[in-house]
Amino acid sequence: MQNQAAAEDNDWNILKLLQWTTTYFTSRSVENPRAAAEILLASVLQLERVDLYVRHDLPLSADELGRFKELIRRRVAGEPVAYIVGKREFWSMDFTVTPAVLIPRPETECLVEAALRHLEDLPEGQNVLELGTGCGAVILALAARKPQHCFYASDLSGEALGVAYQNACRHALEKNVRFFCGSWLDPVQNRCARFEMIVSNPPYIRRSSIDNLQVEIRRFEPLMALDGGEDGLRSLEEIIGSAAGSLKAGGRLLLEIGHDQKQALEAIINRIGGYEDVNFIKDYSGHDRVVALRNKIGPA
Ligand SMILES: C[S@@+](CC[C@H](N)C(=O)[O-])C[C@H]1O[C@@H](n2cnc3c(N)ncnc32)[C@H](O)[C@@H]1O
Protein backbone atom coordinates (compact mmCIF):
# COMPACT_ATOMS: atom_id res chain seq x y z
CA MET A 1 0.00 0.00 0.00
CA GLN A 2 1.23 3.47 -0.85
CA ASN A 3 1.79 6.04 1.87
CA GLN A 4 -0.64 8.45 0.18
CA ALA A 5 -3.38 5.90 0.03
CA ALA A 6 -4.16 6.47 3.69
CA ALA A 7 -5.42 9.97 2.98
CA GLU A 8 -7.28 9.15 -0.21
CA ASP A 9 -9.21 6.04 0.67
CA ASN A 10 -12.43 6.82 2.57
CA ASP A 11 -12.69 3.22 3.77
CA TRP A 12 -10.19 3.68 6.60
CA ASN A 13 -11.32 2.78 10.09
CA ILE A 14 -9.26 2.85 13.29
CA LEU A 15 -8.20 -0.78 13.23
CA LYS A 16 -7.14 -0.79 9.58
CA LEU A 17 -5.15 2.39 10.08
CA LEU A 18 -3.40 1.05 13.16
CA GLN A 19 -2.42 -2.09 11.28
CA TRP A 20 -1.17 -0.17 8.26
CA THR A 21 0.75 2.39 10.33
CA THR A 22 2.39 -0.29 12.50
CA THR A 23 3.63 -2.06 9.39
CA TYR A 24 4.85 1.21 7.88
CA PHE A 25 6.64 2.28 11.08
CA THR A 26 8.25 -1.16 11.33
CA SER A 27 9.54 -0.85 7.76
CA ARG A 28 11.03 2.56 8.68
CA SER A 29 12.63 1.19 11.91
CA VAL A 30 10.50 3.37 14.18
CA GLU A 31 10.78 2.22 17.81
CA ASN A 32 7.70 0.66 19.42
CA PRO A 33 5.72 0.93 16.18
CA ARG A 34 2.33 -0.19 17.51
CA ALA A 35 2.44 2.06 20.57
CA ALA A 36 3.55 5.02 18.45
CA ALA A 37 0.68 4.42 15.99
CA GLU A 38 -1.82 4.22 18.84
CA ILE A 39 -0.63 7.33 20.65
CA LEU A 40 -0.59 9.43 17.46
CA LEU A 41 -4.00 8.24 16.29
CA ALA A 42 -5.53 8.72 19.76
CA SER A 43 -4.16 12.26 19.75
CA VAL A 44 -5.73 13.09 16.35
CA LEU A 45 -9.09 11.64 17.40
CA GLN A 46 -8.84 13.04 20.94
CA LEU A 47 -9.52 9.60 22.38
CA GLU A 48 -7.83 7.57 25.11
CA ARG A 49 -5.70 4.76 23.68
CA VAL A 50 -8.03 2.11 25.05
CA ASP A 51 -10.95 3.72 23.19
CA LEU A 52 -9.24 2.97 19.88
CA TYR A 53 -10.11 -0.67 20.51
CA VAL A 54 -13.59 0.00 21.84
CA ARG A 55 -14.31 2.01 18.66
CA HIS A 56 -12.09 0.02 16.28
CA ASP A 57 -14.51 0.24 13.33
CA LEU A 58 -14.97 4.03 13.52
CA PRO A 59 -14.30 5.53 10.08
CA LEU A 60 -12.01 8.57 9.82
CA SER A 61 -12.88 11.78 8.00
CA ALA A 62 -10.59 13.10 5.27
CA ASP A 63 -9.50 15.86 7.66
CA GLU A 64 -8.57 13.36 10.40
CA LEU A 65 -6.69 11.21 7.91
CA GLY A 66 -4.77 14.25 6.67
CA ARG A 67 -3.76 15.25 10.19
CA PHE A 68 -2.77 11.69 11.08
CA LYS A 69 -0.66 11.42 7.94
CA GLU A 70 1.24 14.57 8.95
CA LEU A 71 2.01 13.07 12.38
CA ILE A 72 3.22 9.87 10.72
CA ARG A 73 5.54 11.96 8.55
CA ARG A 74 6.97 13.77 11.60
CA ARG A 75 7.56 10.52 13.49
CA VAL A 76 9.32 8.91 10.53
CA ALA A 77 11.53 12.02 10.34
CA GLY A 78 12.72 11.18 13.87
CA GLU A 79 10.62 13.51 16.05
CA PRO A 80 9.76 11.78 19.34
CA VAL A 81 6.11 10.85 19.87
CA ALA A 82 6.02 12.85 23.13
CA TYR A 83 6.96 16.11 21.37
CA ILE A 84 4.49 15.43 18.55
CA VAL A 85 1.56 14.96 20.92
CA GLY A 86 2.95 17.38 23.54
CA LYS A 87 2.76 15.06 26.53
CA ARG A 88 4.35 12.06 28.26
CA GLU A 89 3.22 9.87 31.13
CA PHE A 90 5.55 9.56 34.12
CA TRP A 91 4.68 8.09 37.51
CA SER A 92 1.12 7.56 36.17
CA MET A 93 0.72 11.32 35.67
CA ASP A 94 0.52 13.14 32.31
CA PHE A 95 3.08 15.91 31.79
CA THR A 96 3.18 18.54 29.08
CA VAL A 97 6.48 18.36 27.20
CA THR A 98 7.93 20.71 24.59
CA PRO A 99 11.33 20.70 22.88
CA ALA A 100 12.55 22.94 25.74
CA VAL A 101 12.49 19.99 28.15
CA LEU A 102 13.90 16.49 28.29
CA ILE A 103 11.21 13.84 27.84
CA PRO A 104 11.01 12.13 31.26
CA ARG A 105 12.40 8.57 31.11
CA PRO A 106 10.99 5.46 32.86
CA GLU A 107 14.34 4.85 34.61
CA THR A 108 13.98 8.21 36.39
CA GLU A 109 11.10 6.66 38.37
CA CYS A 110 13.92 4.93 40.29
CA LEU A 111 14.94 8.38 41.60
CA VAL A 112 11.34 9.11 42.65
CA GLU A 113 11.05 5.75 44.41
CA ALA A 114 14.29 6.29 46.33
CA ALA A 115 13.19 9.80 47.34
CA LEU A 116 9.79 8.56 48.54
CA ARG A 117 11.41 5.80 50.58
CA HIS A 118 13.48 8.39 52.38
CA LEU A 119 10.52 10.72 52.98
CA GLU A 120 8.38 7.86 54.29
CA ASP A 121 9.07 8.20 58.02
CA LEU A 122 9.80 11.91 58.27
CA PRO A 123 7.55 14.40 60.05
CA GLU A 124 5.64 16.82 57.82
CA GLY A 125 7.07 20.15 56.65
CA GLN A 126 10.40 18.86 55.25
CA ASN A 127 12.08 20.97 52.56
CA VAL A 128 12.77 19.06 49.35
CA LEU A 129 14.61 20.53 46.36
CA GLU A 130 15.05 19.31 42.80
CA LEU A 131 17.91 20.68 40.68
CA GLY A 132 17.35 20.72 36.91
CA THR A 133 13.61 20.09 37.03
CA GLY A 134 12.90 20.20 33.27
CA CYS A 135 9.16 19.59 32.81
CA GLY A 136 8.83 19.13 36.59
CA ALA A 137 7.98 15.42 36.47
CA VAL A 138 10.17 14.38 39.42
CA ILE A 139 9.30 17.16 41.88
CA LEU A 140 5.60 17.04 40.95
CA ALA A 141 5.48 13.24 41.38
CA LEU A 142 6.94 13.76 44.88
CA ALA A 143 4.63 16.66 45.69
CA ALA A 144 1.58 14.69 44.55
CA ARG A 145 2.51 11.75 46.78
CA LYS A 146 3.72 13.77 49.81
CA PRO A 147 1.75 17.03 49.90
CA GLN A 148 2.64 17.49 53.58
CA HIS A 149 6.18 18.61 52.64
CA CYS A 150 7.52 21.82 51.02
CA PHE A 151 8.89 21.50 47.51
CA TYR A 152 11.32 23.66 45.54
CA ALA A 153 12.78 23.25 42.06
CA SER A 154 15.33 25.04 39.92
CA ASP A 155 16.46 25.00 36.31
CA LEU A 156 18.82 27.10 34.24
CA SER A 157 16.28 27.19 31.44
CA GLY A 158 13.48 29.72 31.92
CA GLU A 159 11.56 28.02 29.13
CA ALA A 160 11.75 24.67 30.93
CA LEU A 161 10.51 26.32 34.12
CA GLY A 162 7.52 27.67 32.18
CA VAL A 163 6.64 24.09 31.20
CA ALA A 164 7.20 22.88 34.78
CA TYR A 165 4.86 25.56 36.13
CA GLN A 166 2.25 24.62 33.51
CA ASN A 167 2.52 21.02 34.74
CA ALA A 168 2.20 22.12 38.35
CA CYS A 169 -1.08 23.84 37.40
CA ARG A 170 -2.18 20.81 35.38
CA HIS A 171 -1.97 18.74 38.58
CA ALA A 172 -3.22 21.49 40.93
CA LEU A 173 0.19 21.53 42.65
CA GLU A 174 1.23 25.12 41.86
CA LYS A 175 0.92 26.03 45.54
CA ASN A 176 3.05 23.06 46.63
CA VAL A 177 6.17 23.81 44.57
CA ARG A 178 8.23 27.01 44.28
CA PHE A 179 10.29 27.35 41.10
CA PHE A 180 13.61 29.20 40.74
CA CYS A 181 15.64 30.08 37.66
CA GLY A 182 19.42 29.78 37.80
CA SER A 183 22.34 27.41 37.95
CA TRP A 184 21.86 24.47 40.34
CA LEU A 185 21.80 25.80 43.93
CA ASP A 186 22.58 29.45 43.11
CA PRO A 187 18.98 30.70 43.02
CA VAL A 188 17.96 29.05 46.31
CA GLN A 189 21.02 29.74 48.41
CA ASN A 190 20.25 32.30 51.13
CA ARG A 191 16.57 32.31 50.09
CA CYS A 192 15.40 28.99 51.57
CA ALA A 193 16.07 27.10 54.78
CA ARG A 194 18.36 24.08 54.53
CA PHE A 195 16.93 21.06 52.75
CA GLU A 196 16.17 17.62 54.10
CA MET A 197 16.62 16.26 50.62
CA ILE A 198 18.04 17.39 47.29
CA VAL A 199 17.31 15.28 44.21
CA SER A 200 18.58 15.71 40.68
CA ASN A 201 18.78 14.01 37.32
CA PRO A 202 21.46 16.27 35.84
CA PRO A 203 22.93 15.99 32.34
CA TYR A 204 25.38 13.06 32.49
CA ILE A 205 26.18 12.06 28.93
CA ARG A 206 29.79 12.30 27.80
CA ARG A 207 30.02 15.08 25.20
CA SER A 208 31.76 12.85 22.65
CA SER A 209 28.87 10.31 22.86
CA ILE A 210 26.14 12.78 22.01
CA ASP A 211 26.67 12.44 18.24
CA ASN A 212 26.16 8.69 18.56
CA LEU A 213 22.78 8.96 20.29
CA GLN A 214 19.59 8.08 18.43
CA VAL A 215 18.37 10.82 16.09
CA GLU A 216 15.29 11.26 18.33
CA ILE A 217 17.54 12.38 21.15
CA ARG A 218 20.40 14.22 19.50
CA ARG A 219 18.31 16.24 17.05
CA PHE A 220 15.24 16.94 19.14
CA GLU A 221 16.03 16.99 22.88
CA PRO A 222 17.74 20.04 24.46
CA LEU A 223 21.53 19.75 24.52
CA MET A 224 21.53 21.50 27.89
CA ALA A 225 19.64 18.52 29.34
CA LEU A 226 22.10 15.96 27.96
CA ASP A 227 25.63 17.35 27.91
CA GLY A 228 27.59 16.29 30.99
CA GLY A 229 30.87 17.77 29.72
CA GLU A 230 33.98 15.95 28.48
CA ASP A 231 33.68 13.04 30.93
CA GLY A 232 29.90 13.19 31.53
CA LEU A 233 30.52 13.94 35.21
CA ARG A 234 30.75 17.74 35.23
CA SER A 235 27.24 18.47 36.57
CA LEU A 236 27.25 15.53 38.99
CA GLU A 237 30.57 16.69 40.43
CA GLU A 238 29.41 20.29 40.70
CA ILE A 239 26.24 19.28 42.54
CA ILE A 240 28.05 16.89 44.89
CA GLY A 241 30.54 19.65 45.66
CA SER A 242 27.95 22.30 46.47
CA ALA A 243 24.91 20.46 47.86
CA ALA A 244 26.33 19.66 51.29
CA GLY A 245 26.28 23.35 52.23
CA SER A 246 22.53 23.53 51.57
CA LEU A 247 21.54 20.24 53.21
CA LYS A 248 20.63 19.80 56.85
CA ALA A 249 22.94 17.59 58.90
CA GLY A 250 21.96 14.05 57.94
CA GLY A 251 20.06 15.32 54.89
CA ARG A 252 20.14 13.27 51.68
CA LEU A 253 21.41 13.97 48.22
CA LEU A 254 19.96 11.65 45.57
CA LEU A 255 21.34 11.75 42.04
CA GLU A 256 20.47 9.87 38.89
CA ILE A 257 23.64 8.63 37.19
CA GLY A 258 24.76 6.89 33.99
CA HIS A 259 24.88 3.10 34.19
CA ASP A 260 28.70 3.08 33.88
CA GLN A 261 29.53 5.97 36.23
CA LYS A 262 29.60 4.21 39.63
CA GLN A 263 33.38 3.89 39.96
CA ALA A 264 34.11 7.41 38.81
CA LEU A 265 31.52 8.76 41.23
CA GLU A 266 32.92 6.82 44.17
CA ALA A 267 36.25 8.50 43.49
CA ILE A 268 34.62 11.95 43.25
CA ILE A 269 32.62 11.44 46.47
CA ASN A 270 35.74 10.31 48.35
CA ARG A 271 37.75 13.23 47.07
CA ILE A 272 35.10 15.85 47.88
CA GLY A 273 34.26 14.33 51.30
CA GLY A 274 31.51 15.49 53.68
CA TYR A 275 29.13 12.59 52.97
CA GLU A 276 28.48 9.18 54.51
CA ASP A 277 26.19 6.18 53.83
CA VAL A 278 26.86 6.20 50.12
CA ASN A 279 24.47 3.82 48.37
CA PHE A 280 24.13 2.94 44.71
CA ILE A 281 20.62 1.85 43.72
CA LYS A 282 19.90 -0.23 40.63
CA ASP A 283 17.03 0.36 38.18
CA TYR A 284 14.71 -2.40 36.93
CA SER A 285 17.20 -3.26 34.19
CA GLY A 286 19.85 -3.98 36.84
CA HIS A 287 21.94 -0.87 36.09
CA ASP A 288 23.35 1.42 38.78
CA ARG A 289 20.98 4.35 38.34
CA VAL A 290 20.83 6.41 41.53
CA VAL A 291 23.44 7.32 44.12
CA ALA A 292 22.15 8.32 47.56
CA LEU A 293 24.46 10.20 49.96
CA ARG A 294 23.97 11.35 53.53
CA ASN A 295 25.32 14.74 54.50
CA LYS A 296 27.44 14.63 57.64
CA ILE A 297 28.16 18.32 58.01
CA GLY A 298 26.05 21.40 58.82
CA PRO A 299 24.25 22.60 61.93
CA ALA A 300 22.31 20.08 64.03
C1 LIG B 1 18.52 15.35 32.33
S1 LIG B 1 17.46 16.77 32.38
C2 LIG B 1 16.37 16.30 33.70
C3 LIG B 1 14.98 16.86 33.56
C4 LIG B 1 13.97 16.27 34.55
N1 LIG B 1 14.36 16.54 35.90
C5 LIG B 1 13.83 14.78 34.35
O1 LIG B 1 14.38 14.02 35.16
O2 LIG B 1 13.17 14.36 33.40
C6 LIG B 1 18.55 17.95 33.15
C7 LIG B 1 17.94 19.30 33.42
O3 LIG B 1 18.96 20.12 34.02
C8 LIG B 1 18.87 21.43 33.50
N2 LIG B 1 20.20 22.06 33.65
C9 LIG B 1 21.31 21.94 32.91
N3 LIG B 1 22.32 22.66 33.41
C10 LIG B 1 21.83 23.28 34.52
C11 LIG B 1 22.39 24.15 35.50
N4 LIG B 1 23.65 24.55 35.42
N5 LIG B 1 21.61 24.56 36.50
C12 LIG B 1 20.31 24.16 36.60
N6 LIG B 1 19.72 23.32 35.71
C13 LIG B 1 20.47 22.89 34.68
C14 LIG B 1 18.43 21.26 32.08
O4 LIG B 1 17.83 22.43 31.58
C15 LIG B 1 17.46 20.08 32.21
O5 LIG B 1 16.15 20.54 32.44
Side-chain angles (χ1 to χ4, degrees):
M1 186 186 312
Q2 294 302 304
N3 187 6
Q4 271 181 325
E8 287 164 3
D9 188 337
N10 60 8
D11 195 26
W12 285 99
N13 66 29
I14 287 178
L15 194 59
K16 277 167 87 176
L17 258 181
L18 283 180
Q19 284 162 346
W20 182 86
T21 311
T22 305
T23 307
Y24 180 58
F25 278 167
T26 305
S27 73
R28 302 300 300 264
S29 306
V30 168
E31 249 187 17
N32 302 320
R34 183 71 179 197
E38 288 176 2
I39 295 168
L40 296 179
L41 189 54
S43 158
V44 165
L45 300 178
Q46 298 191 318
L47 292 174
E48 296 298 323
R49 263 170 87 180
V50 62
D51 293 328
L52 296 175
Y53 291 93
V54 178
R55 307 179 65 180
H56 61 92
D57 52 0
L58 185 78
L60 271 79
S61 69
D63 175 58
E64 287 164 340
L65 279 171
R67 283 187 286 127
F68 184 51
K69 195 177 153 198
E70 171 59 13
L71 303 195
I72 292 174
R73 189 196 60 70
R74 286 169 63 182
R75 183 64 195 100
V76 167
E79 192 171 346
V81 170
Y83 289 150
I84 297 175
V85 301
K87 66 176 182 178
R88 166 56 62 96
E89 188 180 304
F90 177 85
W91 201 256
S92 302
M93 296 162 76
D94 268 346
F95 291 97
T96 296
V97 292
T98 73
V101 300
L102 186 95
I103 299 165
R105 306 294 205 265
E107 58 267 28
T108 300
E109 295 193 346
C110 185
L111 182 66
V112 174
E113 281 169 11
L116 287 175
R117 271 198 301 277
H118 176 60
L119 289 175
E120 203 51 56
D121 302 322
L122 295 177
E124 65 180 55
Q126 304 295 327
N127 286 336
V128 178
L129 169 68
E130 185 192 7
L131 303 174
T133 194
C135 75
V138 170
I139 201 74
L140 292 168
L142 296 177
R145 201 50 98 78
K146 297 282 172 193
Q148 67 271 36
H149 300 310
C150 309
F151 295 91
Y152 303 82
S154 75
D155 205 291
L156 191 55
S157 159
E159 239 186 300
L161 284 172
V163 178
Y165 184 72
Q166 218 179 308
N167 280 319
C169 297
R170 181 175 191 151
H171 293 287
L173 290 167
E174 71 274 18
K175 293 199 168 60
N176 302 52
V177 185
R178 286 179 64 192
F179 294 99
F180 296 87
C181 193
S183 186
W184 306 133
L185 285 144
D186 291 354
V188 293
Q189 259 157 2
N190 308 321
R191 289 173 75 179
C192 304
R194 285 179 182 247
F195 298 97
E196 172 57 36
M197 186 164 70
I198 298 177
V199 300
S200 185
N201 169 21
Y204 55 70
I205 297 173
R206 207 174 279 119
R207 190 166 294 153
S208 58
S209 307
I210 289 179
D211 279 347
N212 304 326
L213 296 173
Q214 293 160 279
V215 65
E216 278 87 344
I217 304 174
R218 84 181 123 81
R219 271 197 40 220
F220 291 92
E221 300 212 64
L223 186 62
M224 197 205 288
L226 304 171
D227 184 359
E230 296 305 327
D231 57 3
L233 298 163
R234 187 191 55 199
S235 301
L236 288 161
E237 187 166 359
E238 205 177 321
I239 293 171
I240 292 167
S242 59
S246 293
L247 281 168
K248 290 205 266 189
R252 306 288 167 142
L253 173 62
L254 270 62
L255 298 169
E256 180 169 324
I257 62 169
H259 66 91
D260 55 355
Q261 293 178 326
K262 178 179 177 182
Q263 270 192 338
L265 279 164
E266 280 172 334
I268 289 172
I269 293 162
N270 282 337
R271 178 165 48 73
I272 290 176
Y275 295 98
E276 56 194 3
D277 284 351
V278 178
N279 271 307
F280 287 85
I281 301 163
K282 290 189 191 299
D283 62 21
Y284 289 113
S285 310
H287 296 125
D288 290 305
R289 185 57 63 195
V290 170
V291 59
L293 319 166
R294 199 160 91 107
N295 185 29
K296 60 179 176 191
I297 58 167

